[in-house]
Amino acid sequence: MLRNPLGLSYAVVALLAAIAVTDVFLFFSALHVWLLMAGRTDAAGFTHLGIDVTSVAGGLVGLACQVVFIIWFFRVRRNAQVFAPDLHRGGPGWAIGAWFVPIAHFWWPRSVAVGTWRASRRDPYGDGKGDGESFAVLNWWWALFIVTALFGSFAGAVYDDADTVEEFTAGAGFLMGAAVVDIVAAGLAILFVRRLTSMQHTKATGMIPAAQ
């Protein structure tokens, strides 16, 4: 049975936008620290509070987004099973489980997404290029997802381990870079969610006359 993913997609998009907002605050908090360490402003009131608060807020919003995204991902995967059941490896449950398999979570969810995307096309067995349904958005989303996960962890570790002015300057610079990458990744994730949801909506509504 097909289930409408529109409501969940709106929630995912809103949470992704909220992540981008926290990244903006993180960028400017890190910029403030960078300016302090570079001697361009008075460092007498130096504090980690801005970065700490935005990091905690970003973590909470990110956790909520992960939960809602996985629920949405599971729903579109189940719909894809109806559209073209022969294009998938494993059952719909892997739309959830693939995210929690160590190491494999770097590529397995993308494999699930590829099958879901292909099945949601107007022509599941074509290349999708003529209909604007190629894998470009999916591939860019996944690439930036991996980059932001790795680079964000690296930047946070550099800043947390900093003890000297030079190390704080470098850590703040990395945090600014990670925030920018994460904003771009959130934008691509929004495009992915909206496009796949739209594809499924179009295909589902197009199936109704044929079923009657």
Side-chain angles (χ1 to χ4, degrees):
M1 180 184 298
L2 294 174
R3 298 190 63 186
N4 194 335
L6 281 174
L8 283 171
S9 74
Y10 295 148
V12 175
V13 167
L15 287 167
L16 285 167
I19 288 176
V21 171
T22 63
D23 283 325
V24 171
F25 282 102
L26 177 60
F27 177 88
F28 284 106
S29 297
L31 176 61
H32 177 64
V33 172
W34 187 88
L35 291 173
L36 288 174
M37 295 298 103
R40 301 188 181 184
T41 58
D42 183 10
F46 172 64
T47 175
H48 302 283
L49 183 60
I51 289 178
D52 290 343
V53 170
T54 52
S55 295
V56 171
L60 292 175
V61 174
L63 179 60
C65 186
Q66 289 169 16
V67 172
V68 179
F69 179 91
I70 289 176
I71 295 173
W72 168 84
F73 196 54
F74 176 67
R75 178 163 296 185
V76 293
R77 170 62 182 84
R78 288 190 67 182
N79 287 345
Q81 189 74 19
V82 177
F83 294 144
D86 59 320
L87 293 179
H88 310 281
R89 296 180 180 179
W94 285 115
I96 299 173
W99 298 95
F100 301 97
V101 180
I103 308 301
H105 66 265
F106 284 107
W107 69 82
W108 202 343
R110 180 190 175 278
S111 178
V112 176
V114 166
T116 302
W117 186 280
R118 180 178 285 119
S120 302
R121 289 170 170 168
R122 294 179 181 86
D123 177 11
Y125 306 98
D127 58 17
K129 293 181 179 179
D131 296 322
E133 298 173 346
S134 69
F135 292 122
V137 171
L138 188 158
N139 289 335
W140 278 109
W141 158 67
W142 188 253
L144 265 292
F145 169 76
I146 296 298
V147 170
T148 194
L150 297 176
F151 186 43
S153 297
F154 170 76
V158 171
Y159 185 83
D160 290 341
D161 293 339
D163 291 315
T164 66
V165 170
E166 292 76 12
E167 289 173 345
F168 275 117
T169 302
F174 283 129
L175 285 178
M176 285 189 286
V180 171
V181 172
D182 203 41
I183 290 170
V184 176
L188 287 169
I190 288 173
L191 289 177
F192 168 70
V193 170
R194 287 176 57 86
R195 184 62 181 141
L196 181 53
T197 301
S198 176
M199 287 165 59
Q200 291 208 342
H201 179 72
T202 298
K203 185 156 187 167
T205 53
M207 289 174 65
I208 292 175
Q212 292 176 341

